[in-house]
């Protein structure tokens, strides 16, 4: 369950890069992460202590890409609101995050996001 902290931090840095350096730079970062994402295990249920070699890629690459998919679903403004709610609630567990998302958006959105985390 470490992925929310690490992946949210990484994606927040990417959002800052988008705002400061522009969309083109953000898209370059996304493309690099997509290339590094090949053959990675699902974020959901990932045990970083048992898989230390690939932990950074799962947490900082795949997790960030999954958050990008969620931002695409929600739209930028709503996604930023969700980030704020997750930070305020100090969510550090996947199931808590999914419950928060269901309340913030919809059960359908939360279920779709959970399914993506399991891919």
């Amino acid at each position: 369950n470490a992925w929310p902290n690490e992946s949210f931090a990484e994606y927040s840095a990417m959002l800052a890069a988008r705002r400061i350096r522009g969309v083109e730079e953000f898209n370059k970062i996304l493309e690099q992460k997509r290339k590094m994402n090949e053959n990675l295990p699902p974020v959901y249920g990932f045990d970083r202590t048992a898989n230390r070699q690939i932990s950074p890629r799962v947490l900082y690459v795949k997790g960030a890409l999954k958050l990008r998919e969620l931002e695409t679903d929600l739209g930028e403004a709503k996604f930023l609101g969700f980030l704020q709610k997750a930070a305020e609630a100090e969510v550090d567990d996947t199931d808590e995050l999914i419950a928060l998302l269901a309340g913030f958006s919809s059960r359908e959105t939360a279920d779709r996001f959970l399914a993506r985390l399991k891919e």
Side-chain angles (χ1 to χ4, degrees):
N1 282 318
W3 86 267
N5 292 331
E6 304 302 333
S7 297
F8 273 88
E10 179 69 11
Y11 196 65
S12 294
M14 291 170 61
L15 293 175
R18 182 171 69 192
R19 182 157 299 216
I20 295 166
R21 297 186 206 144
V23 174
E24 188 174 313
E25 181 64 25
F26 177 78
N27 288 336
K28 285 180 189 177
I29 296 167
L30 278 177
E31 187 56 35
Q32 290 170 342
K33 289 191 181 299
R34 285 184 182 116
K35 289 177 184 174
M36 295 170 61
N37 185 44
E38 291 184 29
N39 302 316
L40 290 178
V43 172
Y44 187 87
F46 178 74
D47 182 356
R48 70 181 183 171
T49 60
N51 299 288
R52 292 189 186 279
Q53 289 183 322
I54 62 170
S55 287
R57 288 187 19 222
V58 172
L59 299 176
Y60 300 108
V61 174
K62 191 164 196 162
L65 289 172
K66 296 303 174 185
L67 291 172
R68 172 61 181 156
E69 292 172 10
L70 181 59
E71 181 189 14
T72 300
D73 284 353
L74 295 176
E76 181 181 0
K78 193 168 184 178
F79 179 77
L80 293 175
F82 175 66
L83 282 181
Q84 183 176 356
K85 291 288 183 193
E88 289 169 0
E90 298 181 8
V91 173
D92 62 357
D93 173 84
T94 303
D95 295 330
E96 289 177 41
L97 184 69
I98 296 302
L100 180 69
L101 181 58
F104 182 84
S105 180
S106 70
R107 181 81 252 165
E108 180 184 338
T109 299
D111 289 345
R112 185 172 44 248
F113 184 57
L114 180 58
R116 287 178 177 155
L117 293 174
K118 292 179 178 182
E119 295 174 338

